[in-house]
Amino acid sequence: MSEGRKTVLSGDGAPAPLCVVMVSYFTGEILFTAMEAVLREEVVARLVLVDNGNPPGVQKRLRETAASDPRIELITGQGNAGFARGCNLGAEKARQPLLLLLNPDCVPVGGEIRELVDAARGLTGDWLLGPRLMGGDGREQAGSRRNALTPATLVAEGTGIYRLRPGCRRFNLHQEPLPEEMTEVAVISGACMLMPLESYLRMGGMDEGYFLHVEDIDFCLRFRQAGGKVWFCPQVELAHRKGSSEAPSRMVERHKMQGFLRYFRQHFFDDTPFPLRALTVSLVWLKYLGSCAASLAPAWRQRQSPSSKD
């Protein structure tokens, strides 16, 4: 990957024009809220909306919105191609020097995109930059900053052993002290990921073998292996409303489980001792089964309640 190349700025010193790629699948009203908020940001020159599936009424509204604003390009008709494929389709349409992958459930309210672009001014070479993602409870979300995902960090995170062994390396870093300055990390979230467009294209984009989840973890790993750097910017906070999509939770969890297993098989299992490999697979499956059970619990409780009986 390239070295020494500085972030491109426009002639008057302002941040370079930016293309935002947003992938939507039955996202709901927040999709239009996010689109309006993005287009209010002066650094955004283009918004590519990848429609992986929405109700007919929403699709009609998307076509009307795109027709009324030349900055919007709508990609539709490919069906639910998955998040990774959606990102790649959107990036193929980008023409600006900077690319921002942004979930429709991340809604900027006060110039956060401009702040993130400003923070990237001094970065050189190939880089990724992400903000501090905040939940509705006002706390930092786990995906904001992470160590590399390995069998060891998964076991530490999945079993909670890091609580008993000080210094044990875990996957998530959101409970660590917040750094005062922009900090290099191993993984940031694909919910909001800024980078030079040419860096993304040079990497071949997201691995389309991942349908939903884990593609961002894989991308960060491959990006770093190719010589790029991944940065976390604590000064920029962005609200992230998880789960805005109406996709069935069990479908989401199944894709997440398949993504984790694919990631470990691709990158680690050839050199991982069998006991650790078996424990890793077991933890991934236990997480999946636990999530499925949790999604079924409300319906089960409703059937068991007196009001639901004859």
Side-chain angles (χ1 to χ4, degrees):
M1 300 184 81
S2 60
E3 297 180 359
R5 175 176 36 79
K6 196 168 185 177
T7 303
V8 180
L9 300 178
S10 61
D12 60 0
L18 171 69
C19 177
V20 176
V21 170
M22 192 176 288
V23 180
S24 171
Y25 178 76
F26 285 86
T27 309
E29 184 61 31
I30 196 173
L31 170 61
F32 296 96
T33 303
M35 291 175 67
E36 291 173 4
V38 164
L39 292 171
R40 284 197 297 268
E41 294 262 7
E42 61 182 16
V43 295
V44 175
R46 188 179 186 85
L47 170 61
V48 181
L49 193 287
V50 183
D51 174 21
N52 266 357
N54 279 290
V58 173
Q59 292 181 329
K60 179 176 182 292
R61 188 174 168 189
L62 283 172
R63 289 193 296 270
E64 293 171 348
T65 303
S68 68
D69 192 326
R71 294 174 296 173
I72 302 174
E73 177 157 359
L74 178 63
I75 299 177
T76 190
Q78 72 279 354
N80 188 9
F83 180 76
R85 175 60 176 156
C87 289
N88 293 345
L89 286 172
E92 289 172 4
K93 299 294 184 179
R95 298 294 180 266
Q96 287 67 40
L98 295 180
L99 172 70
L100 178 68
L101 303 180
L102 186 70
N103 276 14
D105 54 7
C106 288
V107 181
V109 295
E112 294 93 336
I113 295 178
R114 171 63 184 256
E115 292 172 3
L116 198 63
V117 171
D118 282 345
R121 281 174 177 260
L123 297 179
T124 60
D126 293 286
W127 51 267
L128 307 177
L129 180 63
R132 188 184 188 204
L133 298 176
M134 308 298 290
D137 57 3
R139 294 187 293 181
E140 182 182 340
Q141 293 179 340
S144 291
R145 46 182 169 137
R146 287 168 159 164
N147 282 317
L149 181 60
T150 67
T153 56
L154 177 86
V155 169
E157 194 72 42
T159 62
I161 195 172
Y162 63 87
R163 298 187 182 95
L164 304 176
R165 296 182 58 187
C168 180
R169 193 174 182 84
R170 61 179 296 198
F171 179 42
N172 295 319
L173 294 171
H174 64 296
Q175 294 176 333
E176 296 296 315
L178 190 67
E180 296 182 0
E181 299 179 348
M182 197 158 61
T183 303
E184 190 173 355
V185 295
V187 179
I188 57 174
S189 173
C192 181
M193 184 182 284
L194 177 68
M195 71 205 81
L197 173 63
E198 61 182 84
S199 297
Y200 186 84
L201 297 178
R202 189 181 299 112
M203 287 296 301
M206 296 284 182
D207 182 343
E208 296 178 13
Y210 296 91
F211 189 83
L212 181 64
H213 287 291
V214 192
E215 67 287 310
D216 52 353
I217 300 173
D218 170 83
F219 185 75
C220 287
L221 176 65
R222 292 188 293 112
F223 196 86
R224 290 171 59 241
Q225 289 175 338
K229 293 188 175 183
V230 180
W231 297 92
F232 166 67
C233 185
Q235 294 87 0
V236 180
E237 296 185 353
L238 181 63
H240 181 206
R241 176 186 162 188
K242 284 187 174 182
S244 62
S245 173
E246 298 172 8
S249 59
R250 277 181 286 173
M251 181 194 80
V252 173
E253 292 301 326
R254 184 181 77 253
H255 286 305
K256 186 183 295 186
M257 177 267 293
Q258 292 170 340
F260 277 119
L261 293 178
R262 185 176 195 273
Y263 172 88
F264 287 117
R265 289 184 185 123
Q266 276 190 311
H267 299 296
F268 293 100
F269 277 178
D270 285 348
D271 301 316
T272 301
F274 175 77
L276 181 56
R277 190 163 70 243
L279 181 56
T280 300
V281 172
S282 298
L283 288 171
V284 171
W285 271 98
L286 284 172
K287 171 65 175 173
Y288 167 64
L289 294 173
S291 299
C292 289
S295 69
L296 293 171
W300 183 84
R301 284 195 295 268
Q302 185 176 11
R303 287 198 298 268
Q304 298 303 312
S305 65
S307 61
S308 66
K309 297 178 181 178
D310 295 332

